[in-house]
């Protein structure tokens, strides 16, 4: 007889309460749920002081993941002059973050599984420190790019281990911790953008301006070194491993990937082109730069308030619809009246950017195990950043072809439809592991 076995939907478990005694995935491995139908992954049970330590370590890790990106753009002109960097090489440099986040994000799953989450976090900060220091002292543009790749490779791995770290250590505080590290990501990017020039002025040039951020990464490394003996592995038991090819068959994984890719494409387009869009409309360069800072800063309080919003909304898709609507309204303002109320358009776009942290939060909320969270994080962020690279490149290409910002802005508005529709799927109370079952024969 042919039957379909899913979590809580077929057969009676040992207790006779409708909980399945087994679930066979597409890979054919076995999962044994607990009394509540969920699958648990062994994780450390630290004391209250230990939870404070790991919580602070996660936030410090997140603060450092955008430093390598935010510190270069504001001194790019000086870097180009000193290293003799051509415009083409500078273009490669500005595209490196998205490329590295995609390539190293996808490729990190096996390494994280072997090393463990704590060792991976320590490695992330070591790579960041080495990359930041070396690129501040080199005198060749090619070596500068290679050193940037080292730092960005560390940041890419850091991106994908944040959700499973929260899942492993704070399964009861996923929304809170996700909002804290999301705000830390934004805060780190803003701090690097704002602080690099004053550091360069105070210490004699762009080299110390970008190199001194390695002090912050070194400080963040200390708590992870203290936790190496109590590491967490994303798949401590063979049958709990979720390969990417299995997750790639899940509609939930594809919806998550599309939301993340659409939001990230719009975000990197904002970082690269928003000031120029306003500048072409008559807004001064200084004011346009300040508005970009406002756009980034607006997202911090929204991110911190995300746990409350998620608790109020529950499993309804209102948040994804709201983020999509706010972003579309912001771009509509830029399209129709870019110089009239540019501060309002910046605020609307910044609020719409809350889709980023919401998606990262949902990665942990829509998985039962740390292994599932890790694989879904790699799939969503690794492939999502690869697709997101189309955003800033496509905006520039459309502007070159049409000679106007109208077509690029309309294209960015259309991306909000993807966020709304795919976000509706993500909001449904369906766990990733429940979408990976296959037919079994009795």
């Amino acid at each position: 007889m042919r039957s379909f076995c899913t979590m809580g939907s077929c057969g009676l478990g040992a207790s006779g309460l409708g909980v399945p005694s087994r679930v066979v995935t597409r890979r054919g491995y076995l999962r044994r749920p607990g009394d509540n139908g969920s699958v648990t992954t062994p994780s450390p049970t630290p004391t209250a002081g230990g939870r404070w330590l790991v919580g602070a370590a996660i936030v410090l890790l997140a603060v450092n993941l955008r430093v390598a990106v935010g510190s270069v753009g504001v001194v790019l002109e000086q870097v180009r002059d000193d290293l003799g960097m051509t415009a083409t090489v500078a273009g490669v440099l500005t595209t490196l973050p998205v490329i590295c986040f995609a390539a190293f994000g996808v490729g990190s799953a096996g390494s994280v599984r072997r090393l463990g989450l704590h060792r991976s976090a320590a490695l992330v900060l070591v790579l960041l420190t080495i990359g930041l220091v070396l690129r501040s002292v080199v005198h060749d543009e090619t070596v500068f790019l290679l050193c940037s790749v080292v730092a960005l490779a560390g940041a890419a791995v850091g991106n994908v281990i944040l959700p499973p770290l929260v899942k492993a250590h704070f399964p009861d505080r996923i929304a809170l911790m996700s909002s804290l590290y999301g705000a830390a990501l934004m805060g780190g990017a803003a701090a690097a953008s704002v602080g690099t020039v004053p550091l360069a002025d105070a210490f004699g040039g762009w080299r110390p301006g970008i190199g001194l951020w390695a002090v912050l990464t070194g400080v963040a490394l200390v708590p992870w070194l203290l936790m190496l003996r109590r590491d967490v592995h994303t798949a401590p038991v063979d049958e709990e491993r979720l390969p990417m090819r299995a997750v790639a068959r899940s509609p939930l994984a594809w919806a998550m990937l599309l939301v993340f890719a659409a939001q990230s494409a719009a975000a990197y387009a904002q970082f690269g082109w928003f000031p120029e869009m306003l500048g072409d409309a008559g807004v001064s360069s200084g004011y346009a730069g300040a508005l970009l800072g406002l756009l980034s800063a607006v997202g911090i309080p929204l991110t911190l308030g995300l746990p409350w919003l998620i608790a109020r909304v529950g499993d309804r898709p209102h948040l994804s619809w709201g983020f999509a609507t706010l972003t579309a309204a912001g771009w509509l303002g830029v399209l129709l009246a870019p110089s009239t109320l540019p501060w309002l358009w910046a605020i609307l776009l910044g609020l719409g950017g809350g889709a980023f942290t919401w998606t990262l939060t949902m990665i942990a909320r829509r998985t039962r195990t740390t292994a599932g969270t890790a694989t879904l994080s790699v799939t969503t962020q690794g492939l999502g950043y690869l697709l997101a690279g189309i955003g800033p490149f496509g905006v520039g290409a459309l502007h070159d072809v049409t000679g106007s910002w109208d077509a690029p802005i309309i294209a960015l508005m259309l991306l909000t439809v993807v966020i709304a529709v795919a976000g509706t799927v993500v909001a449904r109370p369906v766990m990733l592991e429940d979408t990976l079952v296959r037919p079994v024969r009795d």
Side-chain angles (χ1 to χ4, degrees):
M1 182 178 67
R2 187 176 180 86
S3 63
F4 288 83
C5 186
T6 60
M7 280 284 189
S9 66
C10 78
L12 296 180
S15 64
L17 298 178
V19 178
S21 58
R22 63 177 184 165
V23 176
V24 183
T25 70
R26 295 183 188 273
R27 285 276 292 173
Y29 52 76
L30 201 63
R31 291 192 179 279
R32 300 187 181 278
D35 292 340
N36 62 354
S38 65
V39 182
T40 59
T41 298
S43 61
T45 55
T47 62
R51 278 170 67 89
W52 276 102
L53 175 64
V54 72
I58 289 172
V59 171
L60 278 173
L61 173 65
V63 167
N64 284 278
L65 295 185
R66 294 296 179 271
V67 167
V69 179
S71 60
V72 169
V74 291
V75 292
L76 182 57
E77 185 177 353
Q78 297 95 303
V79 173
R80 288 185 59 189
D81 291 342
D82 195 0
L83 299 181
M85 189 178 291
T86 65
T88 301
V89 175
V92 172
L93 179 62
T94 58
T95 311
L96 270 183
V98 178
I99 296 174
C100 289
F101 289 170
F104 293 103
V106 171
S108 66
S111 298
V112 169
R113 184 168 60 244
R114 290 189 294 271
L115 290 175
L117 290 173
H118 294 180
R119 290 183 178 86
S120 295
L123 177 61
V124 163
L125 292 163
V126 169
L127 290 174
L128 280 167
T129 303
I130 292 173
L132 289 170
V133 171
L134 290 182
R135 75 176 183 178
S136 70
V137 299
V138 299
H139 295 273
D140 180 81
E141 61 180 18
T142 302
V143 180
F144 185 91
L145 289 177
L146 291 175
C147 294
S148 296
V149 168
V150 171
L152 292 169
V157 178
N159 289 337
V160 299
I161 66 173
L162 282 173
L165 277 169
V166 170
K167 183 74 170 182
H169 291 289
F170 298 92
D172 56 336
R173 295 289 187 272
I174 288 174
L176 173 61
M177 289 304 301
S178 297
S179 68
L180 288 176
Y181 79 63
L185 280 166
M186 297 176 186
S193 297
V194 173
T196 297
V197 172
L199 285 173
D201 293 341
F203 291 94
W206 66 267
R207 294 181 182 277
I210 67 173
L212 284 172
W213 292 105
V215 175
L216 182 61
T217 61
V219 170
L221 177 62
V222 174
W224 292 108
L225 293 178
L226 297 176
M227 294 187 292
L228 289 183
R229 291 185 178 181
R230 292 181 62 100
D231 210 340
V232 180
H233 290 262
T234 57
V237 183
D238 285 344
E239 59 263 25
E240 287 190 355
R241 294 180 180 174
L242 288 178
M244 284 184 63
R245 60 181 175 273
V247 173
R249 302 187 185 105
S250 166
L252 173 63
W254 279 103
M256 197 86 71
L257 188 155
L258 288 174
V259 174
F260 186 86
Q263 193 284 324
S264 297
Y268 279 91
Q270 290 167 12
F271 296 147
W273 299 109
F274 183 68
E276 188 168 341
M277 290 176 181
L278 297 182
D280 287 352
V283 177
S284 69
S285 59
Y287 188 29
L291 290 174
L292 181 60
L294 173 64
L295 190 156
S296 301
V298 164
I300 296 177
L302 174 64
T303 296
L304 292 174
L306 198 58
W308 180 82
L309 290 172
I310 290 175
R312 291 293 300 270
V313 172
D315 294 321
R316 292 169 292 184
H318 297 171
L319 284 177
S320 62
W321 295 351
F323 294 137
T325 301
L326 288 167
T327 303
W331 285 124
L332 183 62
V334 176
L335 177 66
L336 299 179
S339 60
T340 303
L341 294 171
W343 57 268
L344 178 58
W345 316 143
I347 290 174
L348 290 173
L349 291 172
L351 292 174
F356 172 75
T357 308
W358 178 76
T359 307
L360 294 182
T361 303
M362 299 308 288
I363 290 174
R365 285 173 63 89
R366 292 294 176 256
T367 49
R368 296 185 185 278
T369 65
T370 305
T373 307
T375 305
L376 183 58
S377 179
V378 170
T379 304
T380 299
Q381 297 195 65
L383 298 179
Y385 276 121
L386 183 63
L387 293 176
I390 299 173
F393 176 80
V395 166
L398 279 175
H399 178 261
D400 288 343
V401 170
T402 64
S404 168
W405 291 113
D406 291 355
I409 292 173
I410 292 172
L412 290 169
M413 291 176 65
L414 291 176
L415 283 178
T416 64
V417 177
V418 178
I419 295 174
V421 174
T424 301
V425 178
V426 173
R428 295 171 183 166
V430 176
M431 295 295 183
L432 172 71
E433 290 82 356
D434 296 353
T435 67
L436 302 180
V437 295
R438 64 170 174 81
V440 295
R441 296 184 182 274
D442 292 337

